[in-house]
Amino acid sequence: MLAPLPAFAQNCALCYTQASSAGARMIEALRSGILVLVIPPTLGSIGMIFIVRHKHTRFRRIDGADESGQDW
């Protein structure tokens, strides 16, 4: 947390020089490529969190229902 933000960037000199010398079309392609690489794993992770949470609450309700009937 105390490291400066540039320390987290990759700062590849070759990538930087190619991107800076490229035209607007190439820059747009790079941005689209970044989105393609980021969005599917993010959506997959969010989907897995919802599935695991749903399964967890489903099993918890079943366990809780059995125990609550025995307490009375």
Side-chain angles (χ1 to χ4, degrees):
M1 295 299 287
L2 298 175
L5 287 178
F8 293 111
Q10 294 205 0
N11 295 330
C12 173
L14 179 62
C15 297
Y16 178 75
T17 54
Q18 291 230 342
S20 65
S21 66
R25 192 170 183 198
M26 182 63 171
I27 292 172
E28 191 62 36
L30 285 171
R31 287 181 182 164
S32 299
I34 291 169
L35 289 177
V36 166
L37 291 173
V38 169
I39 291 176
T42 303
L43 293 177
S45 298
I46 291 171
M48 286 300 290
I49 288 170
F50 281 120
I51 290 171
V52 169
R53 183 176 169 106
H54 175 71
K55 295 287 185 183
H56 177 71
T57 56
R58 188 176 126 206
F59 287 123
R60 189 176 239 183
R61 286 184 199 147
I62 292 171
D63 292 341
D66 292 340
E67 293 174 9
S68 65
Q70 292 175 358
D71 290 337
W72 290 97

